Amino acid sequence: MQSSSYNANKNKLKSISQYISIVYANLFQQALSSNELVEITRCIESIGDKEVAHEIVLSNFMNSDDVIIPSDSLMRADLDVFLEETYKRFFIRDITEAEREFFLNFFNSNPNVSAEMVYMSFALSNEYQFY
Amino acid sequence: MKRRSFLKKSSLASTAAISIPFILPSGRLFAASGMRMADHVVLVAFAGGVRQQESILQRYLDDSQSYPSAGNILYNLFDGSAPTDKIVYGTNNIINGDTPIPKILSQTIQNQGTTFREVNASAVGHYAGVNAMLTGNYMYTQGLRNKPTMPTIFEYLRRHQGEKATKTWFVGNGIGNSIPLLDYSTHADYGASYGANFLAPTITFGSDGEKHLKNAKVYHPEDELDPMYKMKYFLDNVWYSQGKALPNIGNTEEEKAEIKQFVKDMFDKTQAGTIAHPPVSDNGDLSTIGYACEVMQRFKPTLTVIYLSNVDGCHSNFTSYLGSLHRADHGVGHIWDYIQNNIPQMANNTTMMVIPEHGRNLDSNNIEDGNAFSGYDHSDANSRRIFSSIVGPGIDSNLSIGNENNQVGDIVNLTPTIAEILGCKDDVVNSGLVASSKSLFDLI
């Protein structure tokens, strides 16, 4: 897979357990235990609207002290680098110039947007559901 | 007959209604196809495999274990005296199961409504049975772990009646037997965007949910969620230009917020011990029913399907099967009582249907439980025998249809029945996707 190609040729939907394993690794920089993987997968299966289920599980992650997210000041210090790293981290591809322009404008007009909110939006996005 | 007079009135009204199109919430131009008998339907899938002998035929141990004790252990559903000898199905007092659960309803569902005493259910697997119940089709070629290939009643309702996603709920006791797959089909003309909201509360609010869902952050709707969603929608728009679409049941942002708030509130109520559980709530079915009552209280769904399954223990533990049957009846009594007394918007405006997805064998297997009672599987002709109870506005009271020697009705009549109650039977039948154009009412 070429990380620089548009959408990086992703065409397979992640299973619930693949999605959870990968998002956990992205947010905590470590692997999820197999027990927790089974438990979280069951939780997601128990709620029909997967967008709602994912949002609840991810926001539960965000309440953990162990989640690794850049500070907001670090994010604002160099938005270009933050965006490039976020695209690589979640989408495994380079950001396009159109995407960069959208986000830079968005950050400028929404000064209270935090790194956590950006990470949530990437983790909940449809592209992130595919590999 | 009440339904006949209803049909007479509705045919007069439909003459006017058909000519007056209106715009549905979904934005679709729509002409009303029929009047509703009630605005809400609650379908209790009395599932897990229920033998006629211990349920509607009231033979208790007399038929199954060659022990001379007969009687009715479903006394919220049916008229009839309870057994007096060898009581094993109640709560524990001196010995296990010796104390029957007190009756909830002053009048049985049989007395208040119509009972189809002998109905055919040709699919004798749990998933296939509930699938037939919800799609009005026997999908013999469909395997487990696949979504239904024919539309579910949820999809018919949402497409033809313009119901919002939060107006159709499927509440299941667990996520086994592929049950979560029944919220919508893969049919090209229907599918995910017309699906129901599924919930398996014993998991969502059980130990797994306590650990991984309860501590969820509640983001501020304007300051946090709004920009978060704007970024997500941008990313999704970029993706749609190149990538594949994801199945989405179409809850609006407001509906999603309502569901998240509901989940949060249920954790609080669970902790406070104030969930609307039945008076006795000592198994998964009854716990599920408590949360289903909360769903109805919060969302006032047009269609709520509640899937019970604890009686499936009958394969290896007949005593537990009897206890689960008795509890399922207790749960049904509680649902009806709760709707009538605690949800004013649904009281006197709800039809409840109770039906197993299939029966159980005539002959036992070789597995004995602690009482030396033999278990029963589901594979023979006796497994195709079920009952169905219906109660609500316009439904004849104390009417009994069919008997052991006269089978009337089939499980595939259920989808047209729900559609008829909710005023979209013509749409469902005209889709050409149901096995029978007849509702149970048509068979009376």
Side-chain angles (χ1 to χ4, degrees):
Chain A
M1 182 183 289
Q2 291 197 355
S3 70
S4 57
S5 70
Y6 191 66
N7 286 350
N9 302 319
K10 290 169 231 166
N11 55 19
K12 290 180 185 165
L13 187 62
K14 291 173 186 167
S15 67
I16 293 175
S17 50
Q18 283 171 331
Y19 171 77
I20 286 302
S21 303
I22 293 166
V23 77
Y24 188 90
N26 274 343
L27 294 176
F28 293 91
Q29 305 288 305
Q30 61 179 339
L32 182 63
S33 76
S34 48
N35 275 346
E36 288 193 313
L37 177 60
V38 170
E39 291 163 3
I40 296 171
T41 300
R42 285 165 54 81
C43 285
I44 291 176
E45 286 179 355
S46 76
I47 298 173
D49 188 322
K50 298 305 172 218
E51 285 194 7
V52 171
H54 290 163
E55 194 179 314
I56 295 173
V57 167
L58 291 181
S59 65
N60 200 73
F61 284 164
M62 292 300 183
N63 253 344
S64 166
D65 294 335
D66 299 329
V67 69
I68 299 170
I69 298 179
S71 68
D72 294 346
S73 55
L74 195 64
M75 174 184 103
R76 294 274 170 186
D78 195 336
L79 288 171
D80 276 315
V81 170
F82 172 77
L83 282 169
E84 284 160 14
E85 288 180 351
T86 303
Y87 265 81
K88 286 248 169 77
R89 186 171 187 169
F90 285 92
F91 289 173
I92 321 175
R93 69 173 173 87
D94 295 327
I95 186 171
T96 66
E97 285 312 305
E99 288 166 332
R100 187 191 304 274
E101 190 180 343
F102 166 83
F103 273 106
L104 290 177
N105 286 337
F106 191 80
F107 292 153
N108 281 335
S109 53
N110 294 274
N112 294 324
V113 166
S114 65
E116 176 182 328
M117 289 154 68
V118 177
Y119 272 30
M120 278 291 284
S121 65
F122 272 74
L124 290 170
S125 72
N126 290 341
E127 182 172 348
Y128 192 61
Q129 298 290 332
F130 289 83
Y131 69 99
Chain B
M1 204 162 97
K2 285 184 191 174
R3 187 231 178 199
R4 283 190 194 131
S5 74
F6 167 82
L7 286 178
K8 201 171 171 184
K9 285 178 197 162
S10 66
S11 65
L12 288 172
S14 64
T15 309
I18 284 170
S19 62
I20 307 169
F22 59 91
I23 304 289
L24 288 171
S26 60
R28 177 173 171 268
L29 188 64
F30 174 86
S33 67
M35 278 181 67
R36 289 183 165 187
M37 295 169 68
D39 286 327
H40 308 274
V41 169
V42 178
L43 168 62
V44 182
F46 207 79
V50 176
R51 288 179 93 224
Q52 289 282 83
Q53 286 82 349
E54 289 81 44
S55 53
I56 196 161
L57 298 176
Q58 306 183 6
R59 292 176 189 158
Y60 191 45
L61 301 174
D62 199 15
D63 186 295
S64 59
Q65 309 298 333
S66 302
Y67 184 87
S69 177
N72 176 24
I73 63 172
L74 310 180
Y75 38 64
N76 287 290
L77 271 171
F78 305 123
D79 297 332
S81 305
T84 53
D85 187 19
K86 202 135 183 164
I87 307 303
V88 298
Y89 53 82
T91 52
N92 302 340
N93 191 6
I94 296 169
I95 57 169
N96 286 349
D98 64 352
T99 307
I101 302 170
K103 187 178 174 181
I104 290 181
L105 302 177
S106 55
Q107 263 192 307
T108 62
I109 297 297
Q110 177 181 348
N111 200 256
Q112 295 182 56
T114 296
T115 306
F116 289 78
R117 298 186 65 85
E118 193 74 35
V119 175
N120 180 63
S122 291
V124 296
H126 303 300
Y127 180 68
V130 184
N131 201 338
M133 195 187 282
L134 296 178
T135 62
N137 271 286
Y138 287 120
M139 285 172 283
Y140 293 114
T141 56
Q142 168 154 13
L144 292 170
R145 300 189 178 188
N146 288 308
K147 290 192 91 64
T149 52
M150 290 294 182
T152 61
I153 183 64
F154 305 118
E155 294 158 79
Y156 288 122
L157 266 181
R158 290 199 57 206
R159 179 172 167 185
H160 299 293
Q161 298 267 299
E163 296 287 356
K164 296 195 303 179
T166 48
K167 288 295 177 184
T168 54
W169 281 84
F170 182 26
V171 184
N173 178 21
I175 55 174
N177 289 323
S178 302
I179 289 301
L181 298 180
L182 290 166
D183 52 354
Y184 60 85
S185 73
T186 56
H187 195 279
D189 296 336
Y190 293 84
S193 53
Y194 302 108
N197 273 293
F198 175 77
L199 182 68
T202 52
I203 292 168
T204 311
F205 307 111
S207 57
D208 290 343
E210 282 272 330
K211 197 170 164 188
H212 300 290
L213 302 175
K214 186 180 179 184
N215 195 33
K217 270 188 180 179
V218 178
Y219 290 107
H220 191 281
E222 284 91 32
D223 297 345
E224 294 175 305
L225 276 182
D226 183 58
M228 205 186 293
Y229 284 155
K230 278 183 178 148
M231 289 187 281
K232 174 184 153 41
Y233 293 150
F234 169 75
L235 295 171
D236 289 347
N237 276 334
V238 172
W239 173 249
Y240 286 143
S241 66
Q242 293 285 313
K244 293 180 177 175
L246 272 178
N248 185 329
I249 64 169
N251 282 308
T252 62
E253 275 186 32
E254 291 75 24
E255 287 179 296
K256 285 179 187 170
E258 276 184 80
I259 295 169
K260 283 182 281 180
Q261 188 62 47
F262 174 76
V263 170
K264 183 183 181 305
D265 292 347
M266 289 308 105
F267 277 117
D268 293 343
K269 290 191 83 168
T270 302
Q271 190 164 357
T274 55
I275 295 291
H277 287 311
V280 172
S281 181
D282 58 2
N283 72 0
D285 281 347
L286 294 175
S287 180
T288 298
I289 283 171
Y291 289 103
C293 288
E294 296 286 353
V295 165
M296 291 190 283
Q297 177 67 263
R298 180 69 62 96
F299 296 98
K300 280 83 182 174
T302 302
L303 175 62
T304 311
V305 176
I306 305 170
Y307 171 76
L308 310 181
S309 61
N310 279 140
V311 298
D312 196 26
C314 190
H315 289 287
S316 58
N317 190 331
F318 193 81
T319 304
S320 124
Y321 160 75
L322 293 172
S324 298
L325 264 183
H326 187 58
R327 280 156 180 75
D329 170 81
H330 177 64
V332 167
H334 175 71
I335 292 167
W336 193 239
D337 180 68
Y338 188 81
I339 290 169
Q340 302 309 325
N341 294 307
N342 294 281
I343 314 180
Q345 298 88 340
M346 291 177 70
N348 303 313
N349 194 13
T350 297
T351 298
M352 181 171 73
M353 309 174 73
V354 181
I355 184 167
E357 87 281 44
H358 59 70
R360 281 189 176 270
N361 288 356
L362 186 63
D363 298 320
S364 64
N365 60 28
N366 294 323
I367 304 172
E368 289 189 351
D369 65 18
N371 283 321
F373 294 162
S374 300
Y376 285 81
D377 303 323
H378 39 90
S379 56
D380 70 7
N382 197 64
S383 301
R384 297 201 290 269
R385 300 173 57 200
I386 58 170
F387 64 87
S388 177
S389 300
I390 311 178
V391 61
I395 308 295
D396 286 310
S397 59
N398 206 20
L399 179 65
S400 195
I401 308 289
N403 58 52
E404 247 186 303
N405 303 312
N406 178 27
Q407 198 168 61
V408 178
D410 192 289
I411 198 166
V412 297
N413 297 127
L414 208 71
T415 290
T417 306
I418 296 171
E420 181 165 339
I421 295 165
L422 293 173
C424 60
K425 186 184 168 204
D426 288 349
D427 293 311
V428 171
V429 171
N430 292 339
S431 73
L433 299 171
V434 285
S436 171
S437 61
K438 290 193 164 92
S439 70
L440 288 172
F441 303 125
D442 293 324
L443 306 174
I444 295 176

